[in-house]
Amino acid sequence: MAVIPQAPTATPPPYKLTSTPTPHPLAAAHPPTPTSASASAAMQMQAATTTTAARRLAPKPQPQANRCRPSSVSVVAAGRSRRRSARSSLRASASLDQEVKERASPAAGKSGQATRRDVRNIAIVAHVDHGKTTLVDSMLRQAKVFRDNQVVQERIMDSNDLERERGITILSKNTSITYKGTKINIIDTPGHSDFGGEVERVLNMVEGVLLVVDSVEGPMPQTRFVLKKALEFGHAVVVVVNKIDRPTARPEFVVNSTFELFIELNATDEQCDFQTVYASGIKGKAGLSPENLGDDLGPLFEAILRCIPEPRIEKDGALQLLVSNTEYDEHKGRIAIGRLHAGELQRGMEVKVCTPDDACRISKISELFVYQNFSRVPVDNVSAGDICAVCGINDIMIGETIADKVSGTPLPTIKIEEPTVRMSFSINTSPFVGKEGKYVTSRNLRDRLYRELERNLAMKVEDGETADTFLVSGRGTLHLTILIENMRREGFEFMIGPPKVINKTVDGKLQEPYEIAAVEVPEEYMGSVVELLGKRRGQMVDMQPSGPEGTTLLKYKIPTRGLIGLRNAVLTASRGTAILNTIFDSYGPWAGDLSSRDQGSLVAFEDGSTTSYALLNAQERGILFVSPGQDVYKGQIVGIHQRPGDLAINVCKKKAATNVRSNKETTVVLDEALSYSLDDCIEFIQEDELVEVTPASIRMCKNPKVSKKNR
């Protein structure tokens, strides 16, 4: 593995003061009055003076803007120029008026603004499976974070057990490296749309983002979401075309598609002049052209230093730190993580903790950490512009501000998009309750759910109709499934109901959430997938050939309730070859009734243990979930009925023991039982069914409180 040379360079001063002269308010309020003898000349002089002032206040091209243009990209120059000129003409007057207001404001320029040259704060954002975490691994290795003989596992940033099992990033994580005397704070973010809240709340800690795009797939639904949020914050963007070493890579198409996405999201001219870096994260190579990659990631690091702006801070201002993340340590308690916007934070100092509703309390900082390489390092003080971790405030919450004890004021709180899916959580009422779990009461369940809200801002918890039922809302079924899996591993036993979308009523009309579904499917299975999406009220918005030959990318606008159970249906229709990705789009009119499942359930007739004799007859009715020797109870779902409607069967029936000699035991051949994961069970159940979750088992059963309509 190539190692980036650490060239000895002179350390620049950490702060660069910038100031803006403020005109005297009286000068603007009382302009000179021309005499009557020279009225015409004075009016001309005043017009010329106004024109000169407008030119002086007009936005000037930044000296670094041209350094961050796309490199070695064959973008359609004519179309790009037309779009930029059209958009610039619309912004000209608004930009000038805004800058005049800012410079004419008496408050402008009072506080000393500074930039830190020795720090860069970036977030790595992308669609799921586009190589963010693998790219971070290579950046850490080449920055000499690990020893040469140190054994490092793949995707080291995915430290959570569920992240490693599923191969996705669920939680945002911080790390840092040092390159040529500059500290680069890196935040690795999730790529799945259900965890978009993790991306939204960390973007206020950075000044720029690395937008990682697959060299074959190009921009995907989640790419649009994360880029939209980054542009709303006004962040600079460096586009990294990853996996450039793939045989079917098409960098020209990917960069053109990315530029079109910038235009659609109303990016500024400076943001559209993004720097493009071509990289292979797994090989640790990067370059400014796809044909000429370097031996290391040096071009990527140089692009970060050149194109990501320096943090703007108020060095001498009042202390302000917005808490964007929290962690928990058994010895240190709750740890608050955020970027210090102004002032200086010291270990042992007393601070004021402000909530968004201006309620404040006094606390004391016990320990202070900064991120250095792949660990947290204790320090005595932190300067503005850096990302740090604070201990000692045990009741700190995400969105609160750690401010100066005397003159501190809260920062704007973090805004997260509303959830779209709701599920009911209730205590376990099956006959097997308490056999496998540790926490089974409603008090345990309530405390755990409300504790989740302290860190998961995109989730909401409400009390249900009964004291032992709670309604949990999230961004999608996967968002809630991760919570369920974590609770299961912690020893909880509970039941969950089917996912339901959260509808709205606007002007007396019912509206439901819609999502954009992108399906990559081989051409031979495209007809089956199109028919399946049509049955679920999906409307095709685009169809184009994808990277591999014979593969088509279908884009549909489909109701969120139509996506429940769609993933397994698409895999079945395409023989496991299709790839489905979704992202929330907007709320729209109610699309009408739709059916998500055509087959009923096989329900156990009585309590007992399953036998081979009973299962041999039962498998003729459908596909079974159980094997011989398993304990079942009355009302448990033991299989999928081959016809619509539910069917009660006896899977515990034993063969009569009379006349054993004349009825010799015959060999019983049973089909292999279908094994459903937690995600599969949640997608399978209908309105009158529940999923029983325990640390050792996942079962489905009929809800005794709901009338059995299909029986």
Side-chain angles (χ1 to χ4, degrees):
M1 178 67 66
V3 178
I4 298 175
Q6 300 290 331
T9 56
T11 303
Y15 299 101
K16 179 176 64 178
L17 293 176
T18 58
S19 60
T20 303
T22 305
H24 197 282
L26 294 180
H30 302 283
T33 304
T35 61
S36 58
S38 57
S40 178
M43 292 176 62
Q44 295 178 1
M45 182 178 298
Q46 184 177 1
T49 304
T50 304
T51 304
T52 304
R55 290 176 180 174
R56 185 179 300 113
L57 294 177
K60 298 180 180 180
Q62 298 295 330
Q64 297 182 356
N66 293 334
R67 296 188 295 173
C68 297
R69 292 181 180 273
S71 304
S72 304
V73 183
S74 60
V75 182
V76 184
R80 183 171 189 164
S81 178
R82 286 196 301 269
R83 293 185 182 93
R84 185 184 298 120
S85 60
R87 199 169 57 250
S88 298
S89 61
L90 294 175
R91 290 199 186 102
S93 58
S95 177
L96 179 60
D97 294 341
Q98 180 67 21
E99 190 162 353
V100 169
K101 290 179 182 179
E102 291 178 356
R103 295 198 177 191
S105 176
K110 283 187 178 181
S111 59
Q113 292 287 329
T115 57
R116 287 196 62 174
R117 294 184 175 181
D118 60 336
V119 174
R120 297 291 191 278
N121 300 317
I122 64 170
I124 300 183
V125 298
H127 185 76
V128 61
D129 201 29
H130 278 197
K132 300 181 305 299
T133 307
T134 304
L135 183 62
V136 174
D137 284 354
S138 296
M139 295 172 70
L140 293 173
R141 288 191 180 95
Q142 295 190 21
K144 301 297 290 181
V145 172
F146 310 109
R147 302 189 312 270
D148 294 336
N149 61 346
Q150 185 174 350
V151 177
V152 181
Q153 56 189 355
E154 293 183 0
R155 301 194 314 274
I156 190 171
M157 294 294 289
D158 289 344
S159 55
N160 188 286
D161 292 338
L162 277 178
E163 292 178 327
R164 295 197 168 278
E165 292 176 10
R166 294 174 178 259
I168 60 175
T169 302
I170 299 174
L171 304 174
S172 298
K173 303 177 189 65
N174 297 68
T175 187
S176 75
I177 60 175
T178 302
Y179 178 75
K180 291 187 177 180
T182 301
K183 180 182 179 181
I184 303 176
N185 288 311
I186 302 173
I187 303 178
D188 185 24
T189 63
H192 201 284
S193 59
D194 284 23
F195 310 113
E198 292 283 322
V199 181
E200 292 180 78
R201 63 183 174 83
V202 301
L203 285 179
N204 58 17
M205 292 196 292
V206 300
E207 285 76 34
V209 298
L210 296 186
L211 180 66
V212 182
V213 186
D214 190 279
S215 63
V216 177
E217 297 180 354
M220 297 296 286
Q222 182 67 2
T223 309
R224 182 187 185 92
F225 173 79
V226 295
L227 179 60
K228 177 184 177 182
K229 294 300 177 182
L231 296 178
E232 288 176 356
F233 277 89
H235 291 334
V237 182
V238 175
V239 176
V240 181
V241 182
N242 197 23
K243 304 182 182 180
I244 197 63
D245 54 336
R246 293 181 63 176
T248 56
R250 42 180 186 168
E252 180 179 342
F253 166 80
V254 170
V255 175
N256 288 338
S257 301
T258 304
F259 176 73
E260 293 295 334
L261 184 57
F262 273 77
I263 297 297
E264 293 176 12
L265 297 177
N266 297 321
T268 64
D269 295 339
E270 292 77 12
Q271 290 171 331
C272 285
D273 286 333
F274 53 82
Q275 171 72 60
T276 303
V277 180
Y278 303 88
S280 173
I282 195 168
K283 292 183 178 180
K285 295 181 179 181
L288 299 182
S289 67
E291 298 84 10
N292 187 19
L293 297 183
D295 296 331
D296 50 35
L297 294 175
L300 176 59
F301 288 112
E302 293 292 344
I304 293 174
L305 298 185
R306 185 174 66 250
C307 300
I308 303 300
E310 303 158 353
R312 296 187 63 85
I313 60 173
E314 294 184 17
K315 180 184 177 182
D316 300 326
L319 173 67
Q320 282 184 321
L321 184 147
L322 181 64
V323 180
S324 301
N325 198 358
T326 58
E327 295 180 1
Y328 184 80
D329 185 88
E330 294 182 356
H331 305 286
K332 299 180 177 61
R334 187 172 298 178
I335 303 175
I337 301 173
R339 178 193 161 199
L340 187 58
H341 291 266
E344 184 177 9
L345 194 61
Q346 298 179 355
R347 183 166 62 91
M349 71 182 301
E350 291 188 347
V351 295
K352 180 165 57 176
V353 180
C354 302
T355 61
D357 54 357
D358 293 335
C360 299
R361 60 188 185 277
I362 303 299
S363 298
K364 185 177 181 180
I365 305 299
S366 62
E367 292 186 76
L368 201 56
F369 298 88
V370 295
Y371 290 91
Q372 183 175 333
N373 295 336
F374 197 64
S375 59
R376 286 196 294 256
V377 179
V379 293
D380 292 331
N381 55 71
V382 177
S383 300
D386 207 350
I387 296 176
C388 61
V390 179
C391 302
I393 310 176
N394 292 327
D395 57 349
I396 192 71
M397 301 288 290
I398 294 178
E400 295 182 338
T401 302
I402 300 177
D404 184 75
K405 182 180 179 180
V406 178
S407 59
T409 56
L411 290 167
T413 187
I414 301 174
K415 295 182 179 180
I416 302 294
E417 290 189 0
E418 294 295 321
T420 58
V421 176
R422 178 188 294 123
M423 295 175 64
S424 64
F425 286 55
S426 59
I427 60 173
N428 190 1
T429 56
S430 76
F432 296 162
V433 59
K435 292 184 177 181
E436 300 173 352
K438 181 179 179 182
Y439 306 105
V440 297
T441 64
S442 60
R443 179 180 59 84
N444 298 138
L445 184 61
R446 177 187 177 87
D447 293 344
R448 177 62 180 85
L449 291 176
Y450 279 94
R451 192 165 67 246
E452 181 71 17
L453 299 181
E454 298 177 359
R455 190 185 188 281
N456 204 333
L457 297 186
M459 191 171 289
K460 291 185 177 181
V461 178
E462 302 172 339
D463 293 337
E465 298 179 354
T466 59
D468 56 3
T469 304
F470 307 94
L471 300 179
V472 183
S473 305
R475 286 286 185 87
T477 55
L478 181 61
H479 188 198
L480 299 176
T481 300
I482 295 299
L483 169 65
I484 296 169
E485 185 65 34
N486 283 327
M487 294 175 61
R488 175 193 175 200
R489 299 187 180 196
E490 295 170 8
F492 284 85
E493 270 192 24
F494 54 97
M495 285 186 167
I496 52 178
K500 300 179 181 179
V501 298
I502 301 176
N503 300 321
K504 291 183 178 180
T505 302
V506 180
D507 297 332
K509 296 182 179 180
L510 182 63
Q511 292 191 345
E512 63 176 334
Y514 281 78
E515 300 195 23
I516 297 295
V519 186
E520 291 185 47
V521 59
E523 292 181 356
E524 57 265 31
Y525 304 118
M526 187 170 63
S528 302
V529 173
V530 169
E531 181 183 1
L532 181 62
L533 291 170
K535 289 181 178 179
R536 294 176 178 252
R537 305 287 182 174
Q539 298 179 356
M540 183 182 293
V541 296
D542 189 18
M543 180 176 66
Q544 59 185 2
S546 185
E549 299 215 357
T551 303
T552 304
L553 177 63
L554 305 173
K555 288 187 179 180
Y556 274 78
K557 185 175 182 180
I558 185 172
T560 300
R561 58 193 174 98
L563 295 174
I564 299 174
L566 179 63
R567 193 175 304 275
N568 285 335
V570 167
L571 290 175
T572 302
S574 63
R575 304 297 188 272
T577 58
I579 300 175
L580 173 65
N581 295 290
T582 61
I583 187 69
F584 173 75
D585 181 62
S586 61
Y587 272 82
W590 177 262
D593 296 332
L594 56 88
S595 60
S596 59
R597 200 178 88 190
D598 298 330
Q599 298 170 313
S601 302
L602 297 177
V603 184
F605 183 78
E606 61 180 359
D607 300 348
S609 180
T610 58
T611 63
S612 301
Y613 177 74
L615 295 180
L616 180 63
N617 297 324
Q619 69 181 8
E620 298 178 359
R621 304 290 187 176
I623 304 175
L624 298 179
F625 294 145
V626 294
S627 301
Q630 290 187 8
D631 293 333
V632 297
Y633 55 85
K634 183 179 180 180
Q636 180 179 336
I637 298 175
V638 295
I640 304 174
H641 193 200
Q642 59 187 1
R643 296 178 181 178
D646 298 338
L647 178 66
I649 60 175
N650 190 351
V651 293
C652 303
K653 184 178 180 181
K654 298 180 180 179
K655 186 177 180 181
T658 59
N659 200 7
V660 176
R661 293 184 180 179
S662 60
N663 292 311
K664 183 180 179 181
E665 194 72 27
T666 59
T667 304
V668 176
V669 180
L670 296 176
D671 297 334
E672 185 177 358
L674 184 62
S675 178
Y676 263 14
S677 64
L678 176 61
D679 305 72
D680 298 332
C681 292
I682 291 176
E683 291 186 349
F684 178 81
I685 59 175
Q686 291 186 328
E687 292 290 331
D688 60 340
E689 297 170 347
L690 299 171
V691 178
E692 178 189 356
V693 179
T694 70
S697 306
I698 298 175
R699 309 181 188 93
M700 292 178 287
C701 64
K702 305 301 290 187
N703 188 352
K705 298 180 181 179
V706 179
S707 60
K708 302 175 178 59
K709 301 178 182 179
N710 298 328
R711 254 189 226 187

